[in-house]
């Protein structure tokens, strides 16, 4: 038996028999209290009627009642307000610092042991997700409701990250959006490297040369440490000379050499092309966030990402290596990924901070109207029987897998809690 499982039982009051104290007094739970995940008693602000008397205070839960002393609660005044000690095994009488005894409620035999066995199997399982064999028991109504809740949780997580960066950038939403947008152009493999490039290359420097795609490329490629070779082609040699001038002009400090990665990438996803696309984007619109705030439809947002590329990159994927000329553009998958993870996240964050619920609703609507992402994790969710209707669902499931399933946090997961019930 584990303490977190007992906390789950108490939180949702899943009993198959009336509760009572070890002294035989009846226990009627009016309100189990609010689960406290920080220091102090496990549940706060509970309302419990014991032997007909209504008590208000905290509830502490242990596997064994002697854990009260193992955790030194008898010396901590914070536990003097505990009105009920809920335990699976009773082997000691809990006392407060003032010497009074805490009523003890023994819950062994008051719930289905099968529920605990299911929970144990989940924790010990090695499948894709712990509850994969039980997902078919989730009704369509519950699926929609729980995934919506998880999607909001994922957006709130992104909001916190964005607001930290906005504060770091002296409340500049434009600068912060630029940094996150360049990060998203790097996709997963080069996201961190591209983010560092953005932080070391303030947007105002790019804006000063927004009329020259050549100078924008020189700055970005130089900051990425991609101009350090001895080149044969005249174009990269010209970029080297231009970057040397711009570096001295702005005092630019490039990222560490080798951070930008070409391994395990298809040529169309090479960082050279990604940076070239971003240079074209900045040339066309150097203050993108203002346009983002006025996006009304998905096509409006995607049109911001439909940029061309400079002539050199039409016949190259890397410097000095000629390739067959063919059209190059950001693929639909990439456009959707940037739209979902950056544009929508920023709309939601801005709406939350400025108390503009209409912007938040617009962002949520975009997620529901965009198609679901189609990656390995989402495919595995579908194999388990999970229906994935749109990007809102896929975003929720990606967050669920990373923040709950992989960490076996079944008793903190809204889907796990529902299935255990």
């Amino acid at each position: 038996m584990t303490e977190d499982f007992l906390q789950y039982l108490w939180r949702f009051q899943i009993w198959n028999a009336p509760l009572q104290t070890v002294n035989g007094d009846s226990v009627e739970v009016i309100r189990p209290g609010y689960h406290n995940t920080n220091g102090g008693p496990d549940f706060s602000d509970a309302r419990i009627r014991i032997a007909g008397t209504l008590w208000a205070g905290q509830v502490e839960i242990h596997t064994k009642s002697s854990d009260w002393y193992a955790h030194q609660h008898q010396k901590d005044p914070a536990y003097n307000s505990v009105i009920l000690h809920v335990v699976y095994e009773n082997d000691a009488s809990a006392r407060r610092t003032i010497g009074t005894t805490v009523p003890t409620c023994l819950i062994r035999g008051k719930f289905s042991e099968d529920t605990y066995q299911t929970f144990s199997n989940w924790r010990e399982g090695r499948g894709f997700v712990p509850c994969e064999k039980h997902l078919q028991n989730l009704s369509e109504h519950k699926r929609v409701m729980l995934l919506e809740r998880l999607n909001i949780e994922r957006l709130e997580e992104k909001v916190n990250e964005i607001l930290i960066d906005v504060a770091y950038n002296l409340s500049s939403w434009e600068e912060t959006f630029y940094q996150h947008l360049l990060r998203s152009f790097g996709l997963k493999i080069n996201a961190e490297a591209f983010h560092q490039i953005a932080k070391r290359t303030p947007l105002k420097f790019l804006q000063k040369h927004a009329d020259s795609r050549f100078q924008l490329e020189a700055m970005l490629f130089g900051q990425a440490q991609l101009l350090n070779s001895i080149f044969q082609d005249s174009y990269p040699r010209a970029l080297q000379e231009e970057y040397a001038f711009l570096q001295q002009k702005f005092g630019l400090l490039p990222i560490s050499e080798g951070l930008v990665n070409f391994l395990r990438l298809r040529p169309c996803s090479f960082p050279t092309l990604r940076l070239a696309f971003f240079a074209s984007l900045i040339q066309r619109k150097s203050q993108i966030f203002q346009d983002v705030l006025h996006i009304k439809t998905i096509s409006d947002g995607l049109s911001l990402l439909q940029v061309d590329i400079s002539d050199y990159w039409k016949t190259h994927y890397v410097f000095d290596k000629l390739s067959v000329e063919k059209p190059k553009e950001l693929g639909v998958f990439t456009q959707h990924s940037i739209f979902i993870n950056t544009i929508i996240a920023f709309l939601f964050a801005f709406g939350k901070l400025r108390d503009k619920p209409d912007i938040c609703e617009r962002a949520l609507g975009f997620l529901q109207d965009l198609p679901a992402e189609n990656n390995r994790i989402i495919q595995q969710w579908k194999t388990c029987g999970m229906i994935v209707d749109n990007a809102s669902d896929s975003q929720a499931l990606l967050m669920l897998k990373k923040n709950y399933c992989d960490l076996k946090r079944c008793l903190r997961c809204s889907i796990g809690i529902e299935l255990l019930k």
Side-chain angles (χ1 to χ4, degrees):
M1 186 55 60
T2 63
E3 194 170 296
D4 58 347
F5 181 75
L6 299 181
Q7 291 171 354
Y8 159 76
L9 293 174
W10 181 260
R11 181 183 173 190
F12 295 100
Q13 294 293 292
I14 306 174
W15 316 115
N16 56 17
L19 301 181
Q20 60 183 24
T21 68
V22 293
N23 296 328
D25 294 329
S26 62
V27 174
E28 181 186 358
V29 181
I30 309 301
R31 184 169 70 201
Y34 302 102
H35 194 193
N36 176 27
T37 57
N38 299 312
D42 293 318
F43 289 84
S44 61
D45 199 20
R47 298 289 187 273
I48 302 172
R49 186 172 283 114
I50 303 175
T53 302
L54 183 63
W55 295 84
Q58 325 305 326
V59 173
E60 181 68 5
I61 296 177
H62 287 126
T63 304
K64 296 181 178 181
S65 53
S66 57
D67 289 341
W68 182 275
Y69 299 98
H71 299 164
Q72 300 293 303
H73 296 335
Q74 80 280 10
K75 299 179 181 179
D76 190 344
Y79 289 81
N80 286 343
S81 59
V82 172
I83 59 175
L84 189 66
H85 190 204
V86 179
V87 301
Y88 185 73
E89 296 180 24
N90 181 39
D91 59 354
S93 180
R95 291 185 178 276
R96 306 179 180 93
T97 62
I98 54 179
T100 54
T101 302
V102 182
T104 299
C105 177
L106 183 65
I107 57 175
R108 187 168 193 165
K110 304 295 185 181
F111 62 91
S112 170
E113 294 285 345
D114 289 343
T115 304
Y116 178 69
Q117 188 58 55
T118 298
F119 168 66
S120 296
N121 292 340
W122 286 2
R123 282 205 164 173
E124 296 170 5
R126 298 184 180 276
F128 170 64
V129 294
C131 63
E132 59 184 31
K133 295 181 180 179
H134 297 81
L135 285 172
Q136 67 272 15
N137 297 326
L138 196 66
S139 70
E140 174 63 10
H141 171 71
K142 286 290 185 181
R143 182 195 70 84
V144 172
M145 182 179 69
L146 296 175
L147 288 185
E148 285 180 354
R149 184 186 305 170
L150 286 163
N151 182 51
I152 294 294
E153 184 179 333
R154 181 177 175 88
L155 280 170
E156 294 283 3
E157 188 178 83
K158 290 184 177 181
V159 166
N160 292 333
E161 295 174 0
I162 290 170
L163 295 185
I164 289 172
D165 285 348
V166 168
Y168 178 82
N169 290 317
L170 304 178
S171 300
S172 173
W173 283 86
E174 195 70 56
E175 186 75 24
T176 307
F177 181 76
Y178 148 69
Q179 292 175 356
H180 282 248
L181 184 62
L182 183 51
R183 177 189 179 91
S184 67
F185 265 65
L187 298 181
K188 186 175 182 178
I189 290 181
N190 284 305
E192 186 53 39
F194 278 29
H195 200 201
Q196 287 194 35
I197 292 170
K199 286 184 174 181
R200 293 184 179 218
T201 317
L203 178 60
K204 63 182 180 181
F205 294 167
L206 296 176
Q207 289 172 332
K208 287 180 181 295
H209 296 277
D211 59 339
S212 170
R213 189 183 306 187
F214 169 71
Q215 289 179 309
L216 292 173
E217 286 192 17
M219 210 178 307
L220 291 171
F221 286 127
Q223 289 294 85
Q225 293 275 25
L226 295 177
L227 296 176
N228 295 340
S229 302
I230 299 175
F231 298 112
Q232 300 299 317
D233 290 351
S234 59
Y235 186 67
R237 292 204 305 269
L239 289 176
Q240 283 178 320
E241 293 180 8
E242 188 63 29
Y243 176 67
F245 164 74
L246 294 170
Q247 185 178 25
Q248 184 175 14
K249 176 181 178 180
F250 294 120
L252 296 174
L253 180 65
I255 66 173
S256 300
E257 192 166 4
L259 285 183
V260 173
N261 201 334
F262 286 81
L263 296 176
R264 296 184 298 279
L265 286 173
R266 291 179 297 178
C268 61
S269 297
F270 278 179
T272 42
L273 293 190
R274 297 292 175 175
L275 291 172
F277 279 125
F278 194 80
S280 297
L281 181 64
I282 294 297
Q283 184 192 30
R284 193 182 69 179
K285 180 64 78 170
S286 61
Q287 290 189 343
I288 310 170
F289 187 62
Q290 292 305 312
D291 280 5
V292 166
L293 289 177
H294 294 94
I295 290 173
K296 299 300 182 184
T297 66
I298 290 175
S299 60
D300 289 342
L302 295 178
S303 66
L304 291 176
L305 304 174
Q306 292 166 2
V307 292
D308 60 0
I309 204 164
S310 56
D311 291 339
Y312 182 82
W313 297 110
K314 293 176 182 178
T315 55
H316 292 79
Y317 290 100
V318 294
F319 291 120
D320 278 353
K321 191 172 182 179
L322 192 66
S323 64
V324 176
E325 180 174 357
K326 66 180 191 178
K328 293 186 176 78
E329 59 183 14
L330 287 176
V332 174
F333 170 82
T334 301
Q335 291 182 35
H336 284 181
S337 177
I338 295 172
F339 194 103
I340 291 168
N341 293 294
T342 304
I343 293 177
I344 290 176
F346 266 79
L347 281 173
F348 191 83
F350 188 84
K352 290 283 287 187
L353 185 66
R354 297 297 175 88
D355 193 24
K356 295 181 179 292
D358 58 313
I359 296 181
C360 293
E361 288 298 323
R362 197 192 322 158
L364 292 173
F366 289 154
L367 280 175
Q368 291 174 349
D369 291 338
L370 280 166
E373 292 138 295
N374 187 27
N375 52 41
R376 179 181 57 82
I377 292 177
I378 297 304
Q379 286 297 326
Q380 287 181 287
W381 275 115
K382 291 179 179 179
T383 301
C384 293
M386 184 64 78
I387 299 172
V388 190
D389 287 331
N390 48 47
S392 178
D393 289 350
S394 59
Q395 283 283 286
L397 290 171
L398 290 172
M399 194 275 293
L400 177 63
K401 181 71 167 66
K402 177 183 176 183
N403 289 7
Y404 292 92
C405 303
D406 289 350
L407 302 176
K408 299 294 180 74
R409 296 177 65 212
C410 304
L411 299 181
R412 296 290 184 269
C413 165
S414 55
I415 289 179
I417 287 170
E418 185 64 29
L419 291 174
L420 276 178
K421 284 182 183 179

